[in-house]
Amino acid sequence: MNTVPFAKSALKEALLAALDGEIAAALNAARQAQETASHEGNKPENQYDTLALEAAYLAHGQSERIRELQETRILIGQWPVQDFSEDDSIASGALIQLLDTQSKSAQQNQRWLWIAPVGGRQLVTEGRTIAVLSTQAPLAQTLMRLSIGDEVVMGKERWEIGGVW
């Protein structure tokens, strides 16, 4: 089996750092919305003046977003990242290398995926972009239980699983 191309612990730390950035941005947005909602200059002048009310709703929505992000961060922080051998099927925690089977160049196109409890993010490490997929994502569901050498069809593209770590 090939050596692990990326330290999964470093990937986990990068994912935690991305979540920290999202939490900080949401805290800032909530703070700004709160200030707008409570600013003396935004008191309603008539029944149609709803700026303060809209800002209060926005602040509440940001608070909910912060809570969700914090729960996600706790989940990822406690998530044990396991290693896979070449005989293992893909499951949560798998780092997957997909090879484009239709590539005609000597340098075969690659995609890197990491199946985690949460997804929707991309991490860049060692010059490679790694898409983080939630275990509930359709592509993750397709990949689970496959292994090295299996083929995956995504639209008109065909990919071969070149490695699982």
Side-chain angles (χ1 to χ4, degrees):
M1 173 100 193
N2 296 336
T3 59
V4 178
F6 310 105
K8 285 182 163 181
S9 59
L11 291 177
K12 181 177 173 178
E13 289 303 317
L15 182 54
L16 289 169
L19 286 166
D20 288 342
E22 290 178 44
I23 291 168
L27 282 167
N28 187 40
R31 192 173 11 261
Q32 288 177 354
Q34 165 99 36
E35 289 170 4
T36 300
S38 61
H39 190 273
E40 189 172 310
N42 290 331
K43 289 186 178 178
E45 295 176 7
N46 59 48
Q47 68 185 21
Y48 302 108
D49 189 358
T50 61
L51 179 63
L53 180 61
E54 291 169 8
Y57 281 128
L58 180 60
H60 175 72
Q62 287 297 336
S63 297
E64 289 298 310
R65 176 79 176 132
I66 292 164
R67 182 187 54 75
E68 291 170 5
L69 287 168
Q70 288 172 332
E71 287 173 0
T72 299
R73 192 191 190 294
I74 290 168
L75 175 70
I76 295 299
Q78 295 173 344
W79 177 50
V81 181
Q82 68 182 67
D83 289 323
F84 291 78
S85 72
E86 62 186 42
D87 298 327
D88 290 335
S89 295
I90 294 172
S92 179
L95 175 63
I96 305 155
Q97 176 192 44
L98 296 180
L99 303 172
D100 182 358
T101 61
Q102 298 169 328
S103 178
K104 302 202 184 318
S105 69
Q107 183 67 18
Q108 199 169 35
N109 290 333
Q110 301 179 32
R111 285 183 74 181
W112 291 91
L113 309 171
W114 190 33
I115 300 178
V118 296
R121 291 160 180 84
Q122 291 198 2
L123 305 174
V124 177
T125 185
E126 298 181 27
R128 292 192 177 114
T129 301
I130 301 167
V132 182
L133 301 176
S134 163
T135 53
Q136 290 81 34
L139 179 54
Q141 291 292 310
T142 298
L143 290 168
M144 290 217 213
R145 295 177 300 284
L146 297 179
S147 54
I148 294 174
D150 288 339
E151 187 173 82
V152 179
V153 178
M154 294 182 282
K156 295 182 179 181
E157 298 177 344
R158 293 186 172 291
W159 298 85
E160 179 183 331
I161 298 172
V164 178
W165 293 272

